[in-house]
Amino acid sequence: MTIYDHKLMEKPKPKAMAGINCWSQQLGFAILISFVLCFVLLCFDYSALTSTTATTSHSGHSTPLVNNFANANAHAIITNSSDDSISPLPHNPLVIVLNQTEIDSCLGRYIYIHQLPGRFNQDLLQNCHLLTPGTDKNMCPYLGNFGFGPGINEENQEIVLLNESWFLTNQFLLEVIFHNKMKNYRCLTNDSSIASAIYVPFYAGLDIGRYLFGGVSTLLRDSSGLDLVKWLAEKPEWKKLWGRDHFLVAGRIAWDFRRQTDNESDWGSKFRFLPESKNMSMLSIESSSWNNDFAIPYPTCFHPSKESEIIGWQDRMRKRKRQYLFSFAGAPRPDLKGSIRGKIIDQCLASGSLCRLIDCNYGATNCDNPVNVMKMFQNSVFCLQPPGDSYTRKSVFDTILAGCIPVFFHPGTAYAQYLWHLPKNYSSYSLYIPVRDVKDWRVNVNETLVGISEDRILALREQVVRLIPSVIYADPRSKLETLEDAFDLAVKGILERIEQVRSSIRQGRDPGVGFADGDDYKYTFAPYA
């Protein structure tokens, strides 16, 4: 019998059993299809999850996020564009992280730091004993503690100061302090293509300070600046906006870098008149009358590490009992034509117990001790602030720190200077007695200040106390959450300045128009008198 015959002899299966087998086959097939679909969906979901470690650049390509080299929480978008034309920053403020939408808080605030050759910054610090030739001032001790200098350990400091956040800070070390603060800025990026601003850590003040005395040739005074702009102009970052998104910080007044002739007898360098330098913005302790120079506060001796220290100090200055009506810390300037300091000193001495004077004449050491100065300011209702060798004074910010109401005699001492840090309404925090020249002196300071009502004094002092956070440079390791210090306001100001340049470009205007123009009316009395 053949195999075929055996199959013919098999009994046929019942119809019900055959239906069950058919249904089982269909069910198995459906399960298999469902499994395949689930597997495909899982693979798709996994790819979406793993892609959340990337974001999309403004060019449309998916690019990975990288950690900021100075802050692991700050992100920067890597792009590989080699285009040297002016390009807009990315405008998409969203970063997708594990199916949640998270706002990039650094968008529009990223800053890139140029890694300059050591001769422009670190080498100057390593040779700190050469920074002040011709004087007996050794800068080396002041470079410690992030440029804040040695801590103040006076026996009586608890009477005047609040905690251990006080230092013997040198007023010319702003560039070092700012650089150390910038290293801890939360929105640093190592990708210059997404940076809103480019920081150039050139210690211009320390550099020129080596050559200001002793008849040094103009060629030597100008050498570092010339080398710097040559170095910058060769970098790809420069060509994006031809330097108009670059900024630097100087620890000396801006006039030290604006020598207008090549005469050996003229003061300073011509760094800020170099074509490339004109395209950069410079922040310094005193600005010039050109639009690309901006003033930011002199460093005081208070560098808190916590917000609670600032708030505690403010409360203490509000409650302080003040025994002097007014005070002055300084010295006369008999060789400075038109100086009113002699008049101020005479009137202070003539006012008896109403006025306190600290003599800062050459050879006097009282002014070098911040404990002495702060004690006097804390005990004074008003602090007189006439111009010194230049328009501005470090004493202005010591005065504010002490909760003492500043009295100004010239708009160039504060009103035309610290536009990012002091209120535009100058009468809200200070008194103004306009005196163009000692020949115009017609005022009795004593009588003027006695006539100020108690209510106005309290209002003025409250505004001064509120300004304290904005004129101090906090410890770079601090994380101020609700307060902005002088560094924060300076960074905000320069970012807004550069955004205005980019806005001009987007509107089809020439960004160079007005960028570095002079303002002949900046220091006139007209707007303030």
Side-chain angles (χ1 to χ4, degrees):
M1 184 176 295
T2 65
I3 295 176
Y4 178 78
D5 291 334
H6 278 293
K7 289 185 177 288
L8 288 176
M9 292 177 66
E10 290 179 357
K11 293 181 180 181
K13 297 178 181 178
K15 290 184 179 180
M17 183 65 71
I20 291 172
N21 286 341
C22 180
W23 179 82
S24 299
Q25 292 173 359
Q26 292 174 351
L27 178 61
F29 181 76
I31 292 173
L32 177 62
I33 293 299
S34 298
F35 176 80
V36 171
L37 288 174
C38 288
F39 180 78
V40 171
L41 289 173
L42 284 172
C43 290
F44 177 81
D45 190 53
Y46 176 76
S47 66
L49 287 172
T50 56
S51 69
T52 59
T53 59
T55 188
T56 303
S57 70
H58 62 281
S59 61
H61 296 91
S62 180
T63 55
L65 289 173
V66 297
N67 285 333
N68 187 305
F69 60 80
N71 188 326
N73 293 324
H75 294 108
I77 304 170
I78 294 180
T79 60
N80 295 315
S81 172
S82 59
D83 184 13
D84 286 337
S85 62
I86 295 174
S87 58
L89 295 175
H91 293 290
N92 183 6
L94 303 180
V95 179
I96 308 302
V97 180
L98 297 178
N99 295 328
Q100 294 181 355
T101 301
E102 190 176 277
I103 296 177
D104 181 2
S105 61
C106 285
L107 191 76
R109 299 195 295 131
Y110 284 116
I111 293 179
Y112 175 83
I113 301 179
H114 268 306
Q115 302 303 309
L116 300 181
R119 62 163 295 197
F120 297 115
N121 43 45
Q122 292 305 312
D123 290 355
L124 293 168
L125 304 186
Q126 292 174 6
N127 295 286
C128 54
H129 60 286
L130 302 176
L131 294 177
T132 52
T135 72
D136 57 359
K137 179 75 83 174
N138 183 2
M139 293 290 284
C140 296
Y142 297 97
L143 297 177
N145 296 314
F146 306 103
F148 297 152
I152 297 176
N153 297 311
E154 295 285 336
E155 293 181 0
N156 65 337
Q157 78 169 26
E158 69 275 3
I159 300 175
V160 182
L161 311 180
L162 183 66
N163 47 46
E164 296 180 354
S165 295
W166 294 80
F167 301 83
L168 294 170
T169 303
N170 187 286
Q171 67 176 10
F172 297 122
L173 285 180
L174 177 60
E175 53 210 15
V176 178
I177 293 171
F178 198 97
H179 191 190
N180 284 321
K181 292 274 287 182
M182 184 58 73
K183 290 175 183 177
N184 290 273
Y185 176 63
R186 64 179 299 269
C187 293
L188 286 184
T189 179
N190 54 4
D191 178 11
S192 61
S193 67
I194 65 148
S196 295
I198 310 293
Y199 171 50
V200 182
F202 172 41
Y203 296 167
L206 294 182
D207 175 75
I208 191 59
R210 299 176 296 172
Y211 309 127
L212 289 177
F213 305 96
V216 179
S217 70
T218 57
L219 184 62
L220 185 56
R221 283 183 259 165
D222 297 336
S223 60
S224 293
L226 288 166
D227 290 345
L228 175 73
V229 297
K230 180 181 179 181
W231 186 92
L232 289 171
E234 294 174 351
K235 297 299 174 183
E237 290 81 14
W238 184 264
K239 299 175 184 177
K240 295 294 182 181
L241 286 173
W242 301 106
R244 293 188 181 92
D245 55 352
H246 286 49
F247 74 99
L248 69 153
V249 178
R252 300 190 68 94
I253 66 174
W255 300 100
D256 288 349
F257 310 98
R258 289 193 174 275
R259 192 190 72 243
Q260 300 193 41
T261 76
D262 286 333
N263 295 332
E264 297 290 334
S265 59
D266 280 2
W267 180 265
S269 76
K270 64 178 182 182
F271 173 60
R272 293 298 284 150
F273 286 124
L274 300 178
E276 296 86 355
S277 182
K278 288 181 179 180
N279 284 3
M280 294 190 287
S281 298
M282 186 174 79
L283 317 183
S284 61
I285 54 178
E286 178 180 323
S287 67
S288 70
S289 57
W290 279 266
N291 293 339
N292 56 348
D293 287 340
F294 299 87
I296 62 177
Y298 284 75
T300 68
C301 292
F302 184 40
H303 307 288
S305 58
K306 295 178 292 187
E307 282 192 357
S308 59
E309 295 178 11
I310 302 174
I311 295 171
W313 180 259
Q314 288 177 294
D315 290 340
R316 189 172 181 177
M317 293 304 100
R318 284 189 181 97
K319 300 172 183 176
R320 184 83 180 183
K321 301 297 182 182
R322 300 170 187 268
Q323 66 186 94
Y324 306 114
L325 177 63
F326 63 105
S327 64
F328 175 64
R333 292 288 188 270
D335 297 332
L336 191 61
K337 184 179 179 180
S339 175
I340 63 173
R341 284 189 170 211
K343 286 284 188 181
I344 285 176
I345 292 173
D346 290 343
Q347 291 205 2
C348 180
L349 293 173
S351 298
S353 61
L354 289 178
C355 183
R356 177 79 165 87
L357 174 68
I358 289 185
D359 182 11
C360 297
N361 213 338
Y362 300 107
T365 59
N366 290 335
C367 290
D368 291 334
N369 188 337
V371 175
N372 292 339
V373 175
M374 289 301 297
K375 184 176 181 179
M376 184 185 76
F377 288 164
Q378 288 175 47
N379 288 326
S380 304
V381 177
F382 296 98
C383 293
L384 308 186
Q385 299 296 338
D389 295 324
S390 64
Y391 291 114
T392 64
R393 306 181 71 208
K394 174 182 178 293
S395 178
V396 169
F397 303 101
D398 293 333
T399 291
I400 293 173
L401 183 57
C404 185
I405 301 165
V407 180
F408 296 115
F409 300 85
H410 194 289
T413 305
Y415 306 148
Q417 295 283 347
Y418 307 100
L419 306 181
W420 300 336
H421 295 80
L422 299 179
K424 292 182 179 179
N425 180 11
Y426 62 88
S427 63
S428 68
Y429 73 96
S430 68
L431 290 185
Y432 181 51
I433 304 175
V435 180
R436 291 171 172 80
D437 192 280
V438 68
K439 296 177 183 178
D440 298 329
W441 189 272
R442 300 289 186 273
V443 64
N444 185 302
V445 175
N446 187 339
E447 294 178 359
T448 301
L449 299 182
V450 166
I452 306 298
S453 69
E454 185 65 23
D455 287 343
R456 190 181 181 200
I457 287 174
L458 292 175
L460 288 168
R461 182 181 300 146
E462 177 60 27
Q463 184 61 30
V464 169
V465 169
R466 289 180 181 179
L467 288 175
I468 289 175
S470 67
V471 301
I472 61 176
Y473 295 90
D475 188 304
R477 297 164 298 183
S478 66
K479 300 296 181 184
L480 303 183
E481 299 296 336
T482 62
L483 300 176
E484 293 179 309
D485 72 350
F487 171 85
D488 296 323
L489 294 175
V491 169
K492 181 187 292 187
I494 195 62
L495 288 172
E496 290 176 355
R497 151 82 163 176
I498 295 171
E499 176 54 30
Q500 291 172 1
V501 172
R502 294 183 181 276
S503 178
S504 296
I505 294 171
R506 289 193 293 267
Q507 296 173 22
R509 300 199 303 266
D510 183 354
V513 174
F515 185 91
D517 288 357
D519 181 0
D520 295 335
Y521 300 99
K522 183 172 183 176
Y523 299 114
T524 59
F525 286 81
Y528 309 96

